[in-house]
Each structure stands twice: as structure tokens, then as C-alpha cells.
Amino acid sequence: MRQIPVDTATATVMVAKNPQPKVKDRRTGEIATDAETGAKLMTVDVMFAANDEVEILSVTVPEPGISGELTMGTPVALTGLVARPWENEFNGQKRHGIAFRAVAVTSLVETAAKSKAA
């Protein structure tokens, strides 16, 4: 599947909703895992502001890639963010969208505090 790298260098990114486990099957409550590592996948909703536009993105990230205290409003860095177009058909209805995935979501609060202390 095609992956499109997303440049976050000029964007402002903040947590919009605390990390939640990504549910693979809503009927059974099964949690999604990374196919390569087996790590539990999490979903972090972020406010992504760039080019005078703001969007809320739901980003999937492996649980070990979440670092720092990620609460609403926390500025974060998104490492290895990619966009993946998707399309499926359910009950005769075609649906499509863009899924976002990152290697890591890191709080910038601790980084800023450490650089001020130095």
C-alpha cells in the first residue's frame, strides 16, 4: 500500500485526546497489534496546524513509541508520520479516507523544560 511521508517541520502539533488502545474488532473488543513487532497499537488524536489551517488527525502509533505525559493540549513531535489512503466497501457503501501512522509521539514539554534548565 502506498505511504506518503508527512512533513511536520513547520506544523504545530498538540494532543487533542489522550492516547487510547486501537480496537481491531468492536464486537469482541480485540486490541490491534503491530504486524511486525506485535506491540499494542494506540490511537492519539492531535491538532495539526499548518498553512493557516487546523485539523484533528487520529494517529496510530505503537505503544512503545509514546513518550512523555500526553494530555490534552500537550505540544508533541510526530516521528515518521505517514499518510495511507484507504478504501473499502461495507454493506454496498464505498468508503474511503486517509489513515495516519507514526513511529513515535513525543511530548515536547519535557524537552522544553530540560533545555531551559541547562
Side-chain angles (χ1 to χ4, degrees), residues 6-14 47-51 53 76-78 81 108:
V6 178
D7 181 14
T8 61
T10 60
T12 299
V13 185
M14 293 195 296
M47 180 201 74
F48 190 93
N51 304 320
E53 292 187 23
V76 293
L78 299 173
L81 182 64
L108 295 177

Side-chain angles (χ1 to χ4, degrees), residues 31-42 60-66 84 101-104:
I31 302 300
T33 57
D34 185 277
E36 293 177 13
T37 66
K40 181 165 79 168
L41 293 176
M42 303 293 285
T60 299
V61 62
E63 189 173 39
I66 295 177
R84 294 180 181 166
R101 179 144 177 177
V103 173

Side-chain angles (χ1 to χ4, degrees), residues 19 22 25-26 30 32 37 42 44 50 63 83 92 96 107 115 117:
K22 181 173 180 154
D25 186 335
R26 290 187 180 138
E30 180 184 359
T37 66
M42 303 293 285
V44 182
E63 189 173 39
H96 63 282
S107 169
S115 63

